[in-house]
Amino acid sequence: MDDSMLPKYVKIVEVGPRDGLQNEKQPIETTDKIALVNALADAGLQVIESGSFVNPKWVPQMAGSEAVFAGIQRKAGVSYAALTPNMKGFERALEAGATEVAIFAAASEAFSQKNINCSIAESIERFAPIMEAARASNVPVRGYVSCIAGCPYEGAIAPAKVADVSQQLFDAGCYEISLGDTIGTGTPAQIEQVIDAVTRSLPVNKLALHAHDTYGQALANIYRALQLGVSVFDSSVAGLGGCPYAKGASGNVATEDLIYLLDGLGIEHGVDLQAVVDAGQRMCDLLGRSNNSKVARALLAKCRVD
Amino acid sequence: MDDSMLPKYVKIVEVGPRDGLQNEKQPIETTDKIALVNALADAGLQVIESGSFVNPKWVPQMAGSEAVFAGIQRKAGVSYAALTPNMKGFERALEAGATEVAIFAAASEAFSQKNINCSIAESIERFAPIMEAARASNVPVRGYVSCIAGCPYEGAIAPAKVADVSQQLFDAGCYEISLGDTIGTGTPAQIEQVIDAVTRSLPVNKLALHAHDTYGQALANIYRALQLGVSVFDSSVAGLGGCPYAKGASGNVATEDLIYLLDGLGIEHGVDLQAVVDAGQRMCDLLGRSNNSKVARALLAKCRVD
């Protein structure tokens, strides 16, 4: 069992300003969101999900996304991504200057119904006009598949189902498929089964893993995915977010913890760990919450006795 | 890269009542310690480090270890272990009815000096009379090696140094060598280097990994060790303890999180997860601290929407 086949470079997709903040309860000023995105870009992150063009009635935390996109200092080589659930959202994102957009489907019928009020098939149909408009505007589209390892309503999800939805999003034109362990119940064996199933038809370099740390398994799962050739990982600075299905439980894996793992494995990523730690702690201070990154907590506590 | 070689069975060495509680600040009643050990034995844990016979002047939290050993309800098949730094401690442990004892050395000279005030070589010499007395009394001795992946004073530690100390403890008669990532700085690549170095002279089935989660890497490290054939892991219920070198940072990996990983990998361990969660939360309530196990937090928050 040797690790010489680990990827040499990993792309980190920072989802804190969107997936993270949208699950935080406290109101956040637009200027603070802008400062966070700018700090993350300065830290070297190359893809930053910076907002969501959903109906603010449903996701009030993302209401100011236009202002966020208008206020950020664009940095060359950085992609500022936006979540776009429908055509109206896509048009708003394009207008706001998002450099890529993301759409989302679930691998669980029950989750699809509860989350976006339609079947999986209907959700993919609904994306067709977005895909067409995105092609016309030359905007890359990323596809999220949620509940790849478990669903809060259905429980276990068949890897074949994940492969099927992934294939449909890829065929529809998504340049990358992000496999989301939405409730964090997956363990390395399950992640392996999912990746095995999906890579039967899709190349592994089109896949990302979106790991949640609700059960503490995120880094073990990411490590397994690295061994299987996955080289794109979603993470959230300071572990911002949390689990909407379990008050007090962890959500997105922390970017800092992911970086620490990659550093230890000698895998390049181009991100300055300390700068991410600082950006995350500033946002935690604003939110009045504890930092969900163990690396950040250890570094900030100066674990090394100097 | 296939996982068919993972061990079929893992032995969990529960260190919460000793390594965990000794690093908690609040005073803990002896009856509460006894209740914890009994609950852990009832949950199916087969080795429980239940106390430490050190000078109470240095480790006041462990002052009542005689009373703990006197009060626990002995369960058949369960080993109640004690840490014994010297001959006096060993005699106290034997008197108290410890069914196995543990001695500790460091892989770092600086740590050895600061922690036990002597060189590594001197520490191993000091253990000779304990080893002899243990052999005479037919008491198994476990050897801890600390700082296997990093030292708070020296920084990086050479894997060859870990191998050397491990070999000496094994040759002295220890039946198992527990490799401790004392400050949790290790990542899977480093753990692999250490295991590679140690297994050049010791059989892998004589090794345990004692992982700390200070940088969130514990389960990824354990997963790597499993792939390399290690089948004994130390953990602490509810992640009791913490990092004495970083206030607020995590210490021992939580038993609950380890069990969840093993369950997901289909590896048997004989422990009832929910019973461990309950025992850990009771102790957290007594200590007035938050639960350091993500699995416990998720399960207690009823992550699954039923």
Side-chain angles (χ1 to χ4, degrees):
Chain A
M1 187 82 58
D2 111 85
D3 261 3
S4 58
M5 297 301 291
L6 294 177
K8 300 277 174 273
Y9 184 88
V10 152
K11 181 176 89 172
I12 301 175
V13 176
E14 170 60 49
V15 300
R18 199 281 302 172
D19 196 16
L21 291 185
Q22 119 177 6
N23 289 310
E24 296 287 343
K25 292 279 171 289
Q26 291 89 335
I28 306 147
E29 299 286 341
T30 298
T31 49
D32 293 327
K33 291 183 188 173
I34 293 169
L36 176 65
V37 173
N38 286 340
L40 294 169
D42 286 341
L45 285 152
Q46 288 176 299
V47 185
I48 305 171
E49 216 180 53
S50 309
S52 176
F53 294 94
V54 292
N55 190 328
K57 201 167 70 182
W58 304 122
V59 189
Q61 286 289 34
M62 291 291 113
S65 285
E66 266 94 356
V68 172
F69 273 89
I72 49 183
Q73 286 198 299
R74 305 293 174 122
K75 207 174 161 164
V78 176
S79 181
Y80 299 90
L83 198 72
T84 57
N86 50 37
M87 201 53 204
K88 190 170 170 207
F90 175 78
E91 284 159 0
R92 286 170 61 204
L94 205 67
E95 178 75 18
T99 46
E100 71 176 84
V101 299
I103 59 175
F104 50 90
S108 148
E109 284 293 350
F111 192 86
S112 188
Q113 288 292 352
K114 294 238 187 191
N115 196 40
I116 51 178
N117 209 24
C118 65
S119 72
I120 298 170
E122 282 165 344
S123 73
I124 289 170
E125 250 171 63
R126 281 189 199 172
F127 294 135
I130 299 184
M131 299 309 300
E132 208 179 298
R135 236 185 319 267
S137 318
N138 210 20
V139 172
V141 182
R142 193 166 197 252
Y144 281 112
V145 181
S146 58
C147 298
I148 62 148
C151 164
Y153 312 108
E154 277 184 29
I157 296 294
K161 188 79 191 170
V162 182
D164 181 43
V165 180
S166 301
Q167 177 76 59
Q168 289 184 60
L169 288 177
F170 189 73
D171 289 347
C174 290
Y175 81 95
E176 190 167 276
I177 306 298
S178 176
L179 302 169
D181 181 9
T182 310
I183 53 170
T185 53
T187 54
Q190 236 179 320
I191 296 304
E192 178 179 359
Q193 286 164 12
V194 170
I195 292 171
D196 278 355
V198 178
T199 52
R200 257 171 236 150
S201 50
L202 296 188
V204 71
N205 65 6
K206 298 297 176 192
L207 301 183
L209 182 64
H210 180 103
H212 278 220
D213 204 32
T214 317
Y215 290 79
Q217 311 293 310
L219 288 190
N221 291 341
I222 287 170
Y223 180 61
R224 186 65 184 140
L226 284 166
Q227 290 182 325
L228 298 167
V230 175
S231 62
V232 184
F233 295 93
D234 301 358
S235 62
S236 172
V237 56
L240 288 174
C243 180
Y245 306 98
K247 198 168 165 260
S250 299
N252 290 290
V253 65
T255 304
E256 298 89 325
D257 299 4
L258 169 61
I259 290 174
Y260 189 94
L261 174 71
L262 297 174
D263 283 342
L265 298 174
I267 298 173
E268 287 185 39
H269 49 74
V271 185
D272 177 345
L273 173 57
Q274 190 59 51
V276 177
V277 168
D278 294 342
Q281 188 54 44
R282 272 197 300 276
M283 184 49 79
C284 289
D285 288 342
L286 287 168
L287 293 167
R289 56 161 283 181
S290 61
N291 199 313
N292 247 344
S293 158
K294 290 198 173 187
V295 167
R297 286 213 301 273
L299 290 179
L300 292 166
K302 294 194 173 64
C303 190
R304 289 177 63 93
V305 178
D306 294 316
Chain B
M1 187 81 59
D2 110 86
D3 261 4
S4 57
M5 297 302 291
L6 293 178
K8 301 275 173 276
Y9 184 88
V10 151
K11 180 176 90 173
I12 301 175
V13 176
E14 170 61 50
V15 299
R18 199 283 301 172
D19 197 15
L21 291 185
Q22 115 175 11
N23 289 310
E24 296 288 342
K25 291 281 172 290
Q26 291 87 334
I28 306 146
E29 299 286 342
T30 298
T31 49
D32 293 327
K33 292 184 187 174
I34 292 168
L36 177 64
V37 173
N38 286 340
L40 294 169
D42 285 341
L45 286 152
Q46 287 176 301
V47 185
I48 305 171
E49 214 180 56
S50 308
S52 176
F53 294 95
V54 292
N55 190 328
K57 200 167 73 181
W58 305 121
V59 189
Q61 285 289 34
M62 291 292 114
S65 285
E66 266 94 356
V68 172
F69 274 87
I72 48 183
Q73 285 198 298
R74 305 294 173 121
K75 206 173 162 166
V78 176
S79 180
Y80 298 90
L83 197 72
T84 57
N86 50 37
M87 202 50 204
K88 191 172 169 206
F90 175 78
E91 283 160 1
R92 285 171 60 206
L94 205 66
E95 178 77 18
T99 46
E100 71 176 85
V101 300
I103 59 175
F104 51 90
S108 149
E109 285 293 349
F111 192 87
S112 188
Q113 287 291 352
K114 294 239 187 190
N115 196 40
I116 50 176
N117 208 24
C118 65
S119 71
I120 299 171
E122 282 165 343
S123 74
I124 290 171
E125 249 171 67
R126 282 189 198 172
F127 294 134
I130 298 184
M131 299 309 300
E132 208 179 296
R135 234 185 320 267
S137 317
N138 211 18
V139 173
V141 182
R142 194 167 194 248
Y144 281 112
V145 181
S146 58
C147 298
I148 62 149
C151 164
Y153 312 108
E154 277 184 27
I157 296 295
K161 188 79 191 170
V162 181
D164 180 43
V165 179
S166 301
Q167 177 77 58
Q168 289 183 59
L169 288 178
F170 189 72
D171 290 347
C174 290
Y175 81 94
E176 190 168 275
I177 306 298
S178 176
L179 302 168
D181 182 9
T182 310
I183 55 172
T185 54
T187 55
Q190 234 178 323
I191 296 303
E192 178 178 0
Q193 285 165 13
V194 170
I195 292 171
D196 279 354
V198 178
T199 51
R200 257 170 236 151
S201 50
L202 296 189
V204 72
N205 66 6
K206 297 298 177 191
L207 301 182
L209 181 64
H210 179 102
H212 278 219
D213 205 32
T214 317
Y215 290 79
Q217 312 293 309
L219 287 191
N221 291 341
I222 288 170
Y223 181 61
R224 186 63 183 142
L226 284 166
Q227 290 182 323
L228 298 168
V230 175
S231 61
V232 184
F233 295 93
D234 301 358
S235 62
S236 172
V237 57
L240 288 174
C243 180
Y245 305 100
K247 200 170 162 258
S250 299
N252 289 290
V253 65
T255 305
E256 299 89 325
D257 299 3
L258 169 61
I259 290 174
Y260 190 94
L261 173 71
L262 297 174
D263 283 342
L265 299 174
I267 297 172
E268 288 185 38
H269 48 74
V271 185
D272 177 343
L273 174 56
Q274 190 60 51
V276 177
V277 168
D278 294 342
Q281 188 54 45
R282 271 197 301 276
M283 184 48 79
C284 289
D285 289 343
L286 287 168
L287 293 167
R289 56 160 281 179
S290 61
N291 199 313
N292 248 344
S293 158
K294 291 198 172 186
V295 167
R297 288 213 299 272
L299 290 179
L300 292 167
K302 294 194 174 65
C303 190
R304 290 177 61 93
V305 178
D306 293 315

